């Protein structure tokens, strides 16, 4: 048939096969070599490198799962990929195995996960890109996950059978064309991290943490449960992943400070749910005291394993833009681990040559819980605060654990911190919803800060900008309904969409429609 691929595409696993080798162009080749017979006269497939690219993308067809897994697995490297805990404080020389149950360095500071970059550098940038693209969105365990498709960069030493995954990640980039036009931007995108199993980005970190716990339990035992303090989304993710692994989970929640949709998730997944008459910071203090006395593994973001999963959002964003880095990343900021995670992901890509530059980071905080914003305005002199109540409840944190991680990331990226009032975050969220989004209040914070930075010229009209939407709007319907019914004391509901309540008579319906739609 003219104009189509003819003959057959014969995938040959391994290296040294006859024909044009799609893989193996870097320092160490891997993957598939492809033999192709192509019609002499074809319009749909070009010759040379274009033909090879087409073959690379389609060479997985017809393979068994075992063959696909082999094609998605790197050969044994001369220097195996490894990772370990090190102290975040550069003056502390602490090092631990990832199999050790530990949360702080010897001097009391936070830990970080350090990868052997020389070992990762044995493969070229092109090989990493091809490998990640080959795995992305497929059903081969565990590589179909947006997190585990980058396994060598996350937890390189864990066996595949110990991974606990729900194929999280691979969330869509929403081109916010209409909202971008409203605020004078041509290249605005929203990374929908809330389109995930439990409805928030917390799944990305929890799959890594629970997988490592599962691995430790199988290898050496000792852990009886996993626990966390939460403003809602962390507890939902922990409960779901522990339920999938068959590991008991315990969540400490601040009483009456999370939505019902968030509360029901750990209840439904069988967690031990403890509601405490305190705020998140109080819950965090209590859980740290409890894990010192009882063999509960701490799952909060002071545990740096979660950041390894969250950093894959950066890699996904670059991947979705064909390995180009946006100009700006706007992140809602609460406990602030996410900020450092995104920085780590972008820096890792740059250091390994997959990308050429770093984006600038913006952290968006609610005015009622803005300790990082206050530090930014005061020469990075951080002082904890007692957070006031905010509709963006997941970031209602006055003493964030990862504040110094975030400050390091912002300094390295020439970053910016902004804030939004309750009315601003709800109004902008409602305006954005009218363009097709369905935002959580935290995304409203990010969009409100974005608009301010666009208005003062910090962010340019044509700057490629990605706003991180951290949770699904369906988890926060209470505040949305109250806004549109004008029942919030924090916001007037300037963009409320009233429900029309009238008798079931056609003339009354038509009269109301005439007021709103040109008929």
């Amino acid at each position: 048939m003219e104009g189509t691929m003819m003959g057959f595409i014969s995938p040959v696993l391994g290296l040294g096969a006859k024909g044009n080798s799609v893989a193996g162009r870097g320092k160490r080749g891997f993957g598939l070599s492809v033999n192709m017979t192509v019609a002499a006269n074809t319009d749909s497939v070009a010759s040379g490198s274009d033909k090879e690219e087409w073959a690379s993308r389609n060479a997985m067809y017809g393979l068994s799962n075992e063959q696909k897994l082999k094609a998605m697995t790197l050969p044994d490297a001369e220097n195996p990929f490894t990772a370990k805990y090190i102290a975040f404080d550069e003056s502390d020389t602490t090092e631990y195995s990832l199999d050790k149950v530990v949360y702080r360095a010897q001097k009391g500071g936070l830990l970080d996960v350090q990868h052997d970059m020389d070992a990762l550098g044995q493969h070229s940038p092109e090989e990493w890109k091809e490998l990640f693209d080959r795995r992305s969105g497929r059903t081969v365990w565990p590589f179909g996950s947006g997190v585990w498709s980058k396994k060598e960069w996350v937890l390189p030493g864990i066996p595949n059978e110990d991974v606990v995954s729900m194929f999280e990640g691979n969330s869509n980039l929403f081109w916010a064309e209409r909202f971008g036009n409203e605020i004078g931007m041509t290249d605005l995108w929203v990374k929908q991290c809330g389109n995930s199993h439990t409805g928030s980005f917390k799944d990305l970190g929890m799959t890594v943490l629970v997988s490592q716990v599962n691995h430790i339990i199988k290898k050496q035992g000792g852990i009886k449960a996993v626990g966390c303090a939460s403003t809602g989304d962390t507890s939902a993710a922990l409960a779901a992943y522990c339920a999938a692994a068959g590991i008991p989970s315990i969540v400490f929640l601040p009483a009456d400070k999370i939505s019902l949709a968030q509360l029901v998730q750990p209840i439904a997944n069988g967690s031990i749910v403890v509601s405490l008459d305190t705020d998140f910071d109080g819950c965090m203090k209590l859980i740290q005291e409890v894990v010192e006395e009882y063999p509960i593994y701490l799952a909060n973001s002071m545990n740096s394993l979660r950041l390894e999963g969250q950093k894959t959002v950066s890699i996904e964003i670059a991947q979705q833009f064909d390995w180009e880095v946006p100009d700006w990343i706007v992140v809602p900021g609460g406990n602030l681990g996410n900020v450092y995670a995104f920085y780590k992901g972008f820096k890792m890509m740059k250091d390994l040559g997959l990308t050429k530059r770093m984006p600038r980071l913006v952290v968006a905080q609610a005015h009622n819980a803005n300790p990082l914003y206050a530090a930014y305005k005061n020469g990075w002199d951080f002082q904890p605060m007692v957070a006031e109540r905010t509709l963006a409840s997941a970031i209602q944190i006055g003493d964030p654990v990862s504040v110094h991680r975030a400050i390091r990331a912002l300094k390295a990226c020439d970053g910016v911190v902004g804030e939004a009032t309750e009315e601003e975050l709800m109004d902008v969220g409602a305006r954005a919803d009218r363009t097709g989004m369905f935002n959580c209040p935290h995304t409203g914070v990010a969009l409100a800060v974005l608009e301010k930075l666009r208005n003062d010229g910090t962010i340019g009209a044509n700057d490629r900008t990605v706003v991180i939407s951290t949770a699904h709007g369906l988890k926060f319907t209470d505040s949305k309904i109250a806004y549109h019914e004008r029942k919030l004391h924090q916001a007037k509901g300037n963009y409320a969409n009233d429900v029309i309540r009238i008798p079931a008579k056609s003339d009354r319906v038509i009269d109301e429609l005439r007021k709103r739609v040109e008929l």
Side-chain angles (χ1 to χ4, degrees), residues 26-315:
K27 299 175 186 175
R28 287 178 58 84
F30 66 90
L32 294 172
S33 298
V34 180
N35 295 332
M36 298 175 59
T37 302
V38 185
N41 180 16
T42 175
D43 298 323
S44 61
V45 181
S47 61
S49 61
D50 289 342
K51 190 186 301 180
E52 290 186 349
E53 181 182 353
W54 191 96
S56 176
R57 292 180 179 179
N58 291 277
M60 302 296 290
Y61 298 162
L63 299 183
S64 68
N65 282 338
E66 183 179 353
Q67 289 174 317
K68 290 177 183 177
L69 178 61
K70 186 174 180 181
M72 294 181 187
T73 303
L74 292 171
D76 293 336
E78 294 173 6
N79 298 312
F81 306 128
T82 59
K84 62 185 177 183
Y85 290 125
I86 64 167
F88 177 77
D89 180 355
E90 294 174 349
S91 68
D92 190 333
T93 58
T94 297
E95 291 187 5
Y96 297 116
S97 163
L98 296 186
D99 292 341
K100 185 174 178 62
V101 178
V102 61
Y103 312 110
R104 291 195 176 274
Q106 291 176 359
K107 293 184 178 180
L110 296 176
L111 294 168
D112 202 358
V113 174
Q114 183 186 71
H115 291 262
D116 185 341
M117 297 296 283
D118 289 336
L120 293 171
Q122 293 173 108
H123 294 276
S124 71
E126 290 73 22
E127 286 177 321
W128 286 119
K129 291 176 187 178
E130 183 183 346
L131 179 69
F132 294 160
D133 286 344
R134 180 180 301 170
R135 292 172 172 174
S136 181
R138 297 185 182 271
T139 57
V140 177
W141 183 270
F143 298 134
S145 158
V147 172
W148 297 106
S149 62
K150 286 79 178 175
K151 180 173 182 282
E152 294 82 3
W153 291 27
V154 177
L155 277 185
I158 191 171
N160 288 348
E161 57 268 23
D162 291 351
V163 170
V164 182
S165 173
M166 300 181 192
F167 276 29
E168 52 288 310
N170 295 320
S171 59
N172 60 303
L173 270 173
F174 176 90
W175 182 31
E177 181 183 18
R178 286 190 59 212
F179 185 74
N181 288 339
E182 279 191 25
I183 64 174
M185 297 188 71
T186 63
D187 206 358
L188 175 62
W189 302 78
V190 178
K191 179 66 169 168
Q192 299 280 19
C193 294
N195 292 356
S196 190
H197 183 72
T198 72
S200 87
F201 79 95
K202 300 294 178 72
D203 292 351
L204 306 174
M206 206 57 73
T207 180
V208 177
L209 183 141
V210 175
S211 294
Q212 181 64 12
V213 170
N214 191 41
H215 174 62
I216 292 172
I217 291 173
K218 289 183 177 182
K219 184 177 180 180
Q220 62 199 41
I223 298 171
K224 300 303 181 183
V226 185
C228 74
S230 178
T231 52
D233 290 333
T234 300
S235 62
L238 175 66
Y241 281 86
C242 281
I247 300 170
S249 61
I250 304 165
V251 298
F252 287 12
L253 300 173
D256 303 321
K257 292 182 176 67
I258 69 171
S259 72
L260 288 176
Q262 290 173 304
L263 177 61
V264 75
Q265 289 179 283
I267 292 173
N269 286 132
S271 283
I272 299 170
V273 179
V274 183
S275 179
L276 299 166
D277 186 19
T278 183
D279 58 9
F280 169 80
D281 297 312
C283 290
M284 188 68 209
K285 183 175 182 294
L286 281 169
I287 190 74
Q288 290 181 73
E289 292 173 0
V290 170
V291 300
E292 291 293 328
E293 303 294 330
Y294 194 77
I296 300 172
Y297 191 89
L298 182 61
N300 282 96
S301 61
M302 67 178 293
N303 187 318
S304 52
L305 286 173
R306 279 177 48 193
L307 306 188
E308 293 305 292
Q310 292 168 19
K311 79 182 181 189
T312 62
V313 176
S314 303
I315 307 169

Side-chain angles (χ1 to χ4, degrees), residues 301 307 310 334-342 402 405-406:
S301 61
L307 306 188
Q310 292 168 19
N335 221 16
L336 302 177
N338 225 7
V339 182
Y340 185 60
F342 293 154
S402 294
R405 289 168 168 164

Side-chain angles (χ1 to χ4, degrees), residues 319-506:
Q319 193 173 9
Q320 288 169 310
F321 285 126
D322 296 319
W323 302 103
E324 295 291 333
V325 172
D327 298 302
W328 295 89
I329 302 290
V330 185
V331 189
N335 221 16
L336 302 177
N338 225 7
V339 182
Y340 185 60
F342 293 154
Y343 163 75
K344 283 192 73 175
F346 282 112
K347 187 174 188 302
M348 203 166 180
M349 285 188 289
K350 183 174 181 291
D351 288 348
L352 288 170
L354 279 72
T355 56
K356 296 179 180 179
R357 64 188 182 99
M358 297 287 288
R360 293 184 69 184
L361 294 175
V362 176
V363 179
Q365 293 207 291
H367 172 74
N368 288 356
N370 65 350
L372 183 66
Y373 177 76
Y376 172 70
K377 288 295 188 180
N378 196 31
W380 296 118
D381 179 21
F382 170 74
Q383 298 295 327
M385 63 178 288
V386 176
E388 297 178 24
R389 190 153 191 149
T390 172
L391 294 164
S393 57
I395 57 175
Q396 185 178 312
I397 299 171
D399 190 9
V401 169
S402 294
V403 62
H404 297 295
R405 289 168 168 164
I407 290 173
R408 178 183 292 183
L410 288 162
K411 286 182 175 179
C413 293
D414 191 20
V416 178
V417 185
E419 65 169 359
T421 66
E422 298 299 286
E423 186 158 76
E424 288 170 342
L425 73 90
M426 292 304 293
D427 279 350
V428 173
R431 286 167 49 204
D433 284 353
R434 291 190 175 200
T435 68
M437 300 187 217
F438 193 68
N439 293 296
C440 66
H442 322 91
T443 307
V445 174
L447 292 171
V449 169
L450 167 67
E451 184 172 29
K452 291 179 181 182
L453 294 175
R454 176 68 199 99
N455 289 340
D456 69 16
T458 301
I459 294 179
N462 300 316
D463 288 353
R464 174 167 283 175
T465 302
V466 177
V467 172
I468 306 299
S469 179
T470 53
H472 201 291
L474 286 172
K475 301 182 82 168
F476 299 91
T477 53
D478 291 350
S479 62
K480 281 184 175 292
I481 291 170
Y483 176 87
H484 287 289
E485 291 182 345
R486 295 184 174 87
K487 293 181 178 179
L488 292 176
H489 72 272
Q490 306 99 320
K492 297 176 182 177
N494 295 315
Y495 298 89
N497 186 15
D498 298 310
V499 175
I500 305 168
R501 294 178 172 86
I502 55 175
K505 295 182 180 180
S506 61

